Amino acid sequence: MALSLLERVQSWLFRALMGAVFGLFQALSSRTCDRRKLPPVENPLLTLSAVQLARKIRRREVTSLEVVQAYIDRIQEVNPLINAMVKDRFAAALQEASQVDKLIEEETGGEEVLADRLPLLGVPLSVKESFALQGMPQTTGLVSRRGVVAVVDAPPVALLKRAGAIPLGVTNTSELCMWSESHNHLYGITRNPYDLERVPGGSSGGEGSLLASAGAVIGVGSDIGGSIRMPCFFNGIFGHKTTSGLVSSDNQHPPVSGRFEEYLSLGPMCRYAEDLLPMLQIMAGPNAHRLSLSEKVDLKKLRFFTVPHDGGSVMTSPVDSQLLQVQRQVVEQLEADLGVKVEEVMFHELRYAFQIWDTYMGLPDNDGAPPQRFGDLLGTPGHPVWPVWELVKWMVGKSDHTMAAIGLAMIEKAQPAAAPASILRHKEKLQREVEELLGTDGVLLYPTHPNVAPKHHHPLFRPFDFAYTGIINILGLPVTQVPLGLSREGLPMGVQLIAGKLQDRLPLALALHLEKSFGGWRDPGAK
């Protein structure tokens, strides 16, 4: 559906303004280039999935100590380049790996008993720093929270540990997990392993970068606007945003408020598609039965749909031609492999995706309590931040906050007190149309982002492009992020696979199929 004349003018003015500001930024910024490359993966243990590693460890074909040491060696090799892991627990992890090997030596029940009771026994794990991991920092990049150490484990972390996984450390985030670049003044900036001058995404960017660098095999992320899917997209790995409310968000920072619980999802991130389902089965804990993950999925019996773009939103960039092309290739592949017809559809309301996300993030909870303000959280555990003053301090290099965080706090001040009725109507119409289309047997292809990984700080000038992922949070639908090879620039491409509520197993099954067709993760250090 074509844009109206007013919308076209608004789009032109917005892009002209952002272009002018971006030009000024380029003129004032330094021109240093980082052309260093990651070393290639050489240890074959680093090219096995978590499922395969766990099986080999149980069968005593390799020890947990060998696997954990291989990942520690890799982290020490790549982290100086990518700055993804911000605090390690290597000594404790090696000790736990030794205990795993001793347990396996003494086990008399056989491999099947261990597989059932401890499916990830001895497998290394990385954890986003916003999750509580006992003994590790939990600052979400705030200088004011320096020294805050978790005294418990967040529920999904505890469940993964109970399944035998061994945490290696915690990874970087954006400030308070609310930006698409993992950068803060406590830990610094995390880099994309395919190009160190580009972003790894946010807020789970440390996880995405480390996993793609083969510094971890599985990890955990959280997602309220794309914070699992964007890092997975930019770093060429797999990730899954669950149906909302399935995985506990307790012991995360920042804590949920307002209606965030309806939009926030926690889920697995990994290099190999076969690890997604067992991780979700563990992380969902008592809610896992609601997903029927053990039911076999026959892809030939599913209905498939594709939406190539948001219809031309004023707020977002046009989708890159390479991403449009690779999504068309997925359509062709599915039609050839499965004998299905993939129907192209459009939803007019998608062009209001950012406005819908922004409006619903500001709604009060059922008791009328509004969400805690971002500016207030920036000052914790002290006083709220005054964004204008922080901007002045930032201009002279004295602020503890990034420009992205300050800008978000300023935008927050300008939000309307009441939710626009038109936006509420757009959301309800979109929710109804998407749910009716997908039902219990539909999967929808949708771009993750309009462009491949941008250069550092460039998201400041296209701040609303995350709407491609954020809108799915508001709809509460499950999404699997799948890599689809590399662009002409050597950067990862991918697509979102969206299903109806509680139908998480559908996109997970499709991810396995597409991994075989498109090659899955690619070593960023490969020659």
Side-chain angles (χ1 to χ4, degrees):
M1 195 174 296
L3 292 175
S4 68
L5 177 60
L6 177 60
E7 287 174 326
R8 288 198 298 270
V9 171
Q10 288 175 330
S11 177
W12 184 86
L13 289 174
F14 177 73
R15 287 169 185 164
L17 175 62
M18 289 297 101
V21 175
F22 179 58
L24 179 63
F25 168 80
Q26 285 191 309
L28 297 176
S29 61
S30 59
R31 296 288 182 174
T32 57
C33 296
D34 192 339
R35 297 301 183 192
R36 294 174 295 171
K37 297 279 291 182
L38 255 65
V41 175
E42 296 181 345
N43 190 326
L45 290 176
L46 302 179
T47 62
L48 298 175
S49 69
V51 169
Q52 293 172 318
L53 286 172
R55 185 184 303 120
K56 284 183 173 291
I57 291 169
R58 289 193 302 268
R59 293 176 177 175
R60 306 181 194 181
E61 296 173 8
V62 65
T63 66
S64 175
L65 190 62
E66 289 172 324
V67 174
V68 169
Q69 187 63 63
Y71 272 96
I72 290 173
D73 291 344
R74 180 63 176 176
I75 292 170
Q76 291 174 332
E77 184 176 38
V78 300
N79 206 54
L81 295 171
I82 59 173
N83 189 37
M85 181 166 282
V86 295
K87 181 67 175 179
D88 69 71
R89 56 185 306 276
F90 293 160
L94 290 169
Q95 185 177 6
E96 290 162 10
S98 295
Q99 293 169 351
V100 165
D101 294 332
K102 184 178 179 181
L103 171 66
I104 292 172
E105 286 293 331
E106 297 173 350
E107 176 60 48
T108 58
E111 179 192 346
E112 293 77 14
V113 173
L114 285 175
D116 181 63
R117 184 161 49 96
L118 299 163
L120 293 177
L121 185 60
V123 175
L125 164 76
S126 57
V127 177
K128 184 178 181 178
E129 201 254 22
S130 59
F131 288 81
L133 173 59
Q134 189 174 29
M136 291 284 101
Q138 191 187 16
T139 67
T140 55
L142 291 185
V143 173
S144 59
R145 284 178 59 87
R146 188 196 306 270
V148 173
V149 175
V151 296
V152 298
D153 291 323
V157 175
L159 289 166
L160 289 166
K161 288 172 68 175
R162 200 176 303 161
I166 299 175
L168 298 178
V170 292
T171 57
N172 205 15
T173 73
S174 53
E175 285 185 83
L176 291 172
C177 299
M178 286 298 286
W179 187 241
S180 57
E181 180 165 13
S182 295
H183 175 213
N184 56 70
H185 289 332
L186 184 59
Y187 299 125
I189 195 165
T190 298
R191 302 176 187 88
N192 188 304
Y194 293 87
D195 183 343
L196 300 181
E197 293 191 329
R198 294 181 183 263
V199 307
S203 60
S204 310
E207 283 294 287
S209 179
L210 190 71
L211 285 158
S213 302
V217 62
I218 54 175
V220 291
S222 55
D223 189 316
I224 201 168
S227 289
I228 287 175
R229 289 160 289 155
M230 281 190 291
C232 287
F233 170 64
F234 291 152
N235 294 284
I237 61 172
F238 293 88
H240 184 71
K241 183 203 90 64
T242 61
T243 298
S244 298
L246 286 174
V247 179
S248 172
S249 61
D250 291 347
N251 301 122
Q252 268 203 100
H253 191 82
V256 294
S257 61
R259 292 174 61 174
F260 286 9
E261 194 77 57
E262 298 176 30
Y263 319 133
L264 176 66
S265 294
L266 290 72
M269 301 171 66
C270 51
R271 272 182 288 134
Y272 301 102
E274 72 171 332
D275 292 332
L276 289 170
L277 190 146
M279 283 190 72
L280 177 56
Q281 183 86 46
I282 293 164
M283 293 174 69
N287 288 321
H289 71 280
R290 299 173 59 194
L291 297 175
S292 304
L293 294 174
S294 60
E295 284 188 16
K296 183 175 175 58
V297 175
D298 185 348
L299 295 178
K300 293 182 179 181
K301 293 183 178 179
L302 300 184
R303 297 176 300 117
F304 296 94
F305 308 93
T306 183
V307 178
H309 51 74
D310 63 7
S313 169
V314 174
M315 311 300 289
T316 58
S317 304
V319 178
D320 183 270
S321 61
Q322 293 183 85
L323 297 176
L324 292 172
Q325 176 61 26
V326 79
Q327 188 164 323
R328 284 194 293 268
Q329 290 173 4
V330 173
V331 169
E332 294 166 1
Q333 191 77 43
L334 292 177
E335 292 182 337
D337 292 348
L338 305 176
V340 298
K341 176 63 178 176
V342 181
E343 180 184 353
E344 182 171 320
V345 295
M346 293 297 293
F347 299 100
H348 176 265
E349 276 66 32
L350 281 175
R351 67 179 63 182
Y352 305 107
F354 169 73
Q355 294 93 324
I356 291 171
W357 182 89
D358 187 51
T359 296
Y360 275 75
M361 286 288 287
L363 294 180
D365 63 19
N366 292 334
D367 297 323
Q372 192 166 2
R373 297 181 71 84
F374 182 76
D376 295 347
L377 287 166
L378 277 180
T380 56
H383 299 291
V385 161
W386 185 28
V388 175
W389 176 236
E390 284 301 321
L391 178 61
V392 173
K393 289 164 63 179
W394 180 85
M395 294 174 71
V396 295
K398 297 296 183 182
S399 177
D400 286 337
H401 303 288
T402 61
M403 185 66 244
I406 296 168
L408 286 172
M410 295 180 71
I411 291 172
E412 181 181 61
K413 295 284 188 182
Q415 287 179 323
S422 61
I423 297 301
L424 299 180
R425 288 194 298 271
H426 284 311
K427 186 269 183 184
E428 291 305 315
K429 184 171 185 288
L430 180 63
Q431 185 94 50
R432 183 173 61 254
E433 290 180 350
V434 173
E435 290 187 354
E436 287 176 356
L437 179 77
L438 292 175
T440 59
D441 63 348
V443 177
L444 175 70
L445 312 179
Y446 191 52
T448 314
H449 199 266
N451 294 288
V452 293
K455 292 193 173 183
H456 290 298
H457 310 300
H458 286 205
L460 287 168
F461 309 102
R462 297 302 306 173
F464 309 123
D465 283 348
F466 78 92
Y468 272 85
T469 49
I471 187 62
I472 313 302
N473 292 84
I474 303 303
L475 298 179
L477 302 176
V479 193
T480 303
Q481 176 60 39
V482 175
L484 297 173
L486 303 180
S487 70
R488 289 188 296 269
E489 304 92 336
L491 298 169
M493 300 186 293
V495 70
Q496 297 183 90
L497 310 177
I498 305 165
K501 290 181 180 178
L502 299 177
Q503 307 305 315
D504 298 54
R505 67 187 185 283
L506 305 186
L508 293 176
L510 183 56
L512 282 165
H513 182 84
L514 293 179
E515 181 180 37
K516 295 174 184 175
S517 301
F518 287 84
W521 169 78
R522 312 290 178 91
D523 179 3
K527 303 300 184 186

